[in-house]
Amino acid sequence: PSLVARRVSPYLPMWEARALRAALDGVVRGWSSEDLASHFGLSRPHMSERLKSVGLPSVGRLLVWGRLLHAGRWLEDPGRSAESISRQLDYSSGAAFRRALRNYLGTTPTETEARGGLGFVLDRFLADCSLDHDRRSTGRSAA
């Protein structure tokens, strides 16, 4: 989570950067979209709109990306299998995990690892977001 936050935070207002970090942490806690929104005292639809207003995906998609970012890192570990990662990320099956990789990244677990693991997934996440890359930390919002 800290590597991702460090790379993405310069492009986000403070609250949304904290929301991204919470989503990454929430993945390993098994949080649902409602859990993440509730953590910030918001409804899921309201939080999704707030995230989308700065180019981030909706709460549900952000959690999927969070899972994939964790997977990208764990796929780099020698001896880690896609099946073990899918279980750790609470996918219903290895097939569901591979389907998420294919739908979001267009790759298999082996291809994801070969293309750079976390770095590859993070690049794809940034490409999927419509972040204002001219925004810097001085443009952060209060909340």
Side-chain angles (χ1 to χ4, degrees):
S2 62
L3 294 171
V4 173
R6 198 170 28 249
R7 174 106 181 259
V8 178
S9 291
Y11 306 114
L12 294 173
M14 187 180 303
W15 185 90
E16 287 78 0
R18 285 190 356 242
L20 173 61
R21 178 67 187 248
L24 291 165
D25 290 339
V27 164
V28 294
R29 294 180 175 142
W31 282 2
S32 68
S33 299
E34 287 76 18
D35 294 330
L36 179 58
S38 176
H39 176 76
F40 288 96
L42 300 172
S43 68
R44 184 191 44 74
H46 179 89
M47 185 169 179
S48 288
E49 287 303 316
R50 185 159 182 183
L51 294 171
K52 289 192 283 186
S53 74
V54 297
L56 290 172
S58 67
V59 175
R61 286 183 60 89
L62 186 62
L63 285 170
V64 173
W65 274 111
R67 285 171 143 183
L68 296 177
L69 288 160
H70 280 287
R73 170 60 189 95
W74 294 336
L75 285 166
E76 296 174 1
D77 292 341
R80 293 289 299 264
S81 70
E83 288 298 319
S84 71
I85 293 170
S86 72
R87 284 190 301 274
Q88 190 167 358
L89 292 172
D90 290 328
Y91 278 96
S92 60
S93 66
F97 171 58
R98 288 186 295 278
R99 189 170 35 257
L101 286 172
R102 186 176 63 249
N103 290 341
Y104 279 71
L105 306 174
T107 59
T108 65
T110 302
E111 292 168 337
T112 301
E113 190 275 327
R115 292 183 182 189
L118 175 60
F120 170 71
V121 178
L122 185 52
D123 287 345
R124 295 301 296 267
F125 171 70
L126 291 171
D128 188 62
C129 295
S130 55
L131 296 175
D132 177 5
H133 293 288
D134 292 330
R135 180 184 317 209
R136 297 289 175 217
S137 58
T138 57
R140 296 173 184 245
S141 66

